[in-house]
Amino acid sequence: MQRFSFYSLLLAFLTIAVPVSAQEYRITKSIAKGSSIQIKNLSGRVSVNTAAVAEDAKPAADTTAGTSEDDLVVVAASDKAVIEDEVKVVEGVRTTIDVSPNGAAKQINLTVTVPPRSRVTVETDAGAVDIAGNLESINVTTGTGTVSTDVPDDELTYDMTWTEARPRYLADFELAKIKEGSAGKFSIKGRYPDNAKDKKADKKKDRRAEQKKPAAAEALTATDDPPADDPKPKKKHARDKRDDSGRRDVALRVTTARGIVLLNVDENEVGSDLRERPLTTAAKAIIQSGDTYLMEAIRRVSPKYLANTRERCRRRSARLISPRKRA
C-alpha cells in the first residue's frame, strides 16, 4: 500500500513538472550577416542581442548552444506553454518575427539572437525593449515600454521622439538639446561624438578624471578582478565587446508615446524619478570647481541645469579675466 502511494505521488509530480519545461519555444534559422529583421510583439517584452553577447551570457541563459554566429535564434517564453502557431518566423528579403498569443491576457517574452551588424526593427506596446551588441541600425516603436540599449558609441547617430509626453531619458553621454514640435511631440536628434577628435578628447578627460578621484572613491571603483567568491562581479558591457565585422557605427531611432529611454546606462543605476531638479548650492560649487568626476554624476541627473550653470560660470570668469574698459 505504501509502495502504491509512493508511485502515485511520483506520477503526480511528473505530471505537474513536465508542462513547466514546455513553456519555452525555440526557433533557429540560418540567415546572412547584415540581414534585416523585423520583430513585432504586442504581448510582452523583446530582448535582442548578437551572438557574441549571448555567448557571454551562457551561464545564465544559454540561447546559442549548438548554433553559429550567423544563426537567428528566437526563444519565446511565457507562464503558459508557447505553441508553434503563436510565434511565426517568415524568411525573405526581410525576416519577420510576429507574436500572436492565443489568449488576450497571455504574455509572451521574446529573446532574439541575431548576427552582428544586422538591421533590427522592433515594435511593442507596453513591453520593454532591450538591445545589446554591434548592430548596423536599430528602429524601435513602443507605447509605454522602457527602451534600454547597450551598443557601441564609437559613431552613434540617434533620433528619439516622444509623441504624448515630455522626454524621459538617461544617457551615458551628453545628448543634443530637446526640441519641441507640433501636436505635443518632443525629439532629441544628434550624433555622438561630433567627430573622431571629440571621442579622443573624451577619453583624455576620463583619464584625467580618474587621476583626480578621491582615494575613497578610487578604492570603491577599483578595476581589479574580483575574487571568485564575489557575489557581485563587475558587469561586462556589450558595447565593449569586439568582433570581426570591422565597423562599429550604429544608427538608433526610437519612437515612443510615454516610454523611458536608457542609452548605454545600466538599469540598476536609474532612479525612480527621472525629472530634472534644480541644482543645489553644493552642486553649483562642484561645477565651479571644475571637478569632472563629480560633474559627470550631476550631468546624468540634471543635464539641462548643468549646461546652464556651466555657461553662467564661463561668462562670470570671462568678465573677471577681461580688462576693464577705460572710461
Side-chain angles (χ1 to χ4, degrees):
M1 184 66 181
Q2 292 180 352
R3 181 177 297 180
F4 176 77
S5 301
F6 171 77
Y7 284 118
S8 300
L9 291 173
L10 180 61
L11 180 61
F13 173 77
L14 292 175
T15 304
I16 296 173
V18 167
V20 174
S21 62
Q23 294 172 0
E24 190 176 272
Y25 179 70
R26 172 171 169 157
I27 304 173
T28 302
K29 300 283 186 179
S30 181
I31 61 175
K33 289 184 178 180
S35 299
S36 296
I37 302 165
Q38 183 174 353
I39 305 168
K40 184 177 181 180
N41 181 17
L42 304 181
S43 66
R45 67 182 299 154
V46 175
S47 298
V48 180
N49 52 53
T50 58
V53 176
E55 185 74 20
D56 292 338
K58 272 187 177 183
D62 187 0
T63 60
T64 59
T67 61
S68 67
E69 194 179 56
D70 297 339
D71 286 344
L72 170 69
V73 182
V74 181
V75 179
S78 176
D79 294 337
K80 300 179 181 179
V82 181
I83 61 177
E84 183 177 358
D85 294 339
E86 294 178 314
V87 182
K88 296 180 181 179
V89 179
V90 179
E91 298 180 84
V93 178
R94 173 180 294 179
T95 302
T96 60
I97 304 171
D98 195 358
V99 178
S100 301
N102 291 334
K106 187 175 182 180
Q107 177 178 341
I108 299 178
N109 298 323
L110 282 184
T111 300
V112 184
T113 303
V114 301
R117 304 301 299 168
S118 297
R119 299 184 295 273
V120 178
T121 302
V122 181
E123 180 181 357
T124 67
D125 184 12
V129 179
D130 299 327
I131 308 289
N134 186 9
L135 302 171
E136 181 177 339
S137 65
I138 304 165
N139 193 340
V140 179
T141 303
T142 181
T144 58
T146 299
V147 180
S148 177
T149 68
D150 186 4
V151 297
D153 58 0
D154 298 51
E155 187 178 347
L156 177 63
T157 57
Y158 52 88
D159 185 358
M160 300 178 290
T161 303
W162 285 260
T163 59
E164 299 181 12
R166 290 193 63 85
R168 293 191 296 168
Y169 65 94
L170 197 61
D172 189 45
F173 46 84
E174 189 170 355
L175 300 180
K177 294 182 178 180
I178 300 174
K179 294 183 179 180
E180 184 174 359
S182 60
K185 295 182 179 179
F186 296 87
S187 64
I188 303 176
K189 185 177 181 179
R191 179 177 181 175
Y192 178 81
D194 294 335
N195 51 59
K197 293 182 180 179
D198 290 347
K199 186 69 176 180
K200 295 179 180 178
D202 289 343
K203 290 182 179 179
K204 291 181 180 179
K205 288 182 180 179
D206 292 341
R207 285 196 294 268
R208 288 196 296 266
E210 289 290 335
Q211 295 173 358
K212 293 182 179 180
K213 284 184 181 180
E218 193 172 87
L220 290 174
T221 58
T223 57
D224 294 337
D225 294 334
D229 56 350
D230 189 356
K232 293 182 179 180
K234 186 177 179 181
K235 182 179 178 180
K236 295 182 179 179
H237 296 290
R239 57 181 175 271
D240 299 328
K241 186 74 176 180
R242 296 281 177 173
D243 52 43
D244 57 355
S245 61
R247 294 182 57 184
R248 290 174 62 82
D249 55 301
V250 180
L252 173 65
R253 182 182 180 89
V254 178
T255 303
T256 177
R258 299 184 300 276
I260 299 173
V261 178
L262 305 177
L263 191 53
N264 287 5
V265 176
D266 295 337
E267 294 184 7
N268 55 5
E269 298 180 5
V270 181
S272 58
D273 190 354
L274 293 180
R275 291 178 297 179
E276 289 195 59
R277 300 176 181 84
L279 299 180
T280 62
T281 304
K284 293 178 182 178
I286 291 173
I287 297 173
Q288 292 176 1
S289 69
D291 191 324
T292 55
Y293 175 64
L294 294 178
M295 284 171 59
E296 178 64 20
I298 295 173
R299 182 194 64 77
R300 286 197 175 192
V301 179
S302 298
K304 181 180 71 174
Y305 289 105
L306 173 64
N308 295 339
T309 304
R310 291 177 67 178
E311 180 64 20
R312 286 197 296 268
C313 292
R314 187 189 65 80
R315 291 177 181 177
R316 188 182 300 112
S317 300
R319 288 197 302 268
L320 295 174
I321 296 174
S322 60
R324 295 180 179 179
K325 294 182 179 180
R326 295 181 178 179

